[in-house]
Amino acid sequence: MLELDAGIDYRLDRLKAMDVYMTPANADTEARLDEDFLSLSIGAHAAPVTLQVQGREIVIPKVAEGVAMVGFEDLCEKPLGPGDYLEIAACFHTLVLKGIPKLGSEKRNEAKRFVTLIDALYEAKVNLICSADAPAETLYTEGDGAFEFERTVSRLMEMQSTDYMAQPHSG
């Protein structure tokens, strides 16, 4: 038997070379996210996937080789909850999330959903590559749950580390 990969995790090497939290979210970072998706999915054909969760459909617009690409509005501006995010975390080892906006008190529901999404991804050791309008520590600084959001900031920072990325997906 011939072993072809010699135990080398090429995706981890690719991830380590990427900026996994990009600001600001604009056309340049969007293009970089597209390149990262292509690299991590090994150039495989991407297609939309619809997940069925408790009678609801969650459309993930672009999926290939365990990598999903989706916009913030698709996951956090819709009435999704913990079960939805847990299913997403179970299905994909890497999530490319586009366009995280700066969140204020008027977007407290979106901020709460984002916290729940990050918790699900973090617990399942899903790799996150994203673009945001602001650094993690300034995404949500005032409004209901701003204090609790600090834990999300901490998780976002840890999710950028090589140690985190090297952990196997447990979804």
Side-chain angles (χ1 to χ4, degrees), residues 132-151:
D133 285 340
E137 59 275 10
T138 62
L139 274 178
Y140 187 65
T141 56
E142 50 191 56
D144 283 353
F147 177 76
E148 292 83 359
F149 197 84
E150 290 177 19
R151 180 176 59 111

Side-chain angles (χ1 to χ4, degrees), residues 15 20 40 66-70 75 84-97 116-130 155-156 158-161 163-171:
L15 266 172
V20 294
L40 292 171
V67 181
M69 178 179 262
V70 65
L75 295 184
D84 303 308
Y85 300 133
L86 290 171
E87 182 66 19
I88 290 166
C91 290
F92 308 107
H93 59 73
T94 303
L95 181 70
V96 179
L97 183 61
T116 306
L117 171 65
I118 295 304
D119 286 347
L121 299 177
Y122 180 85
E123 293 301 326
K125 307 300 180 223
V126 174
N127 294 312
L128 176 68
I129 302 171
C130 62
R155 287 187 165 189
L156 285 168
E158 184 180 340
M159 292 168 88
Q160 296 175 51
S161 74
D163 287 345
Y164 176 88
M165 289 185 266
Q167 295 180 56
H169 176 237
S170 62

Side-chain angles (χ1 to χ4, degrees), residues 21-159:
Y21 190 100
M22 295 179 239
T23 59
N26 59 27
D28 290 337
T29 55
E30 186 110 355
R32 288 174 58 200
L33 290 175
D34 286 334
E35 290 170 14
D36 292 346
F37 177 88
L38 194 60
S39 175
L40 292 171
S41 63
I42 322 163
H45 173 72
V49 167
T50 301
L51 303 177
Q52 302 288 331
V53 182
Q54 299 171 351
R56 286 185 307 282
E57 291 186 347
I58 304 166
V59 176
I60 308 296
K62 194 172 181 181
V63 173
E65 296 294 316
V67 181
M69 178 179 262
V70 65
F72 178 88
E73 68 281 356
D74 296 317
L75 295 184
C76 299
E77 292 179 3
K78 293 182 178 173
L80 300 178
D84 303 308
Y85 300 133
L86 290 171
E87 182 66 19
I88 290 166
C91 290
F92 308 107
H93 59 73
T94 303
L95 181 70
V96 179
L97 183 61
K98 300 191 296 189
I100 303 165
K102 189 148 172 52
L103 301 161
S105 57
E106 75 288 351
K107 293 198 178 235
R108 69 179 182 84
N109 290 331
E110 292 86 341
K112 185 173 171 119
R113 288 185 197 111
F114 183 66
V115 166
T116 306
L117 171 65
I118 295 304
D119 286 347
L121 299 177
Y122 180 85
E123 293 301 326
K125 307 300 180 223
V126 174
N127 294 312
L128 176 68
I129 302 171
C130 62
S131 64
D133 285 340
E137 59 275 10
T138 62
L139 274 178
Y140 187 65
T141 56
E142 50 191 56
D144 283 353
F147 177 76
E148 292 83 359
F149 197 84
E150 290 177 19
R151 180 176 59 111
T152 299
V153 170
S154 175
R155 287 187 165 189
L156 285 168
M157 302 302 274
E158 184 180 340
M159 292 168 88

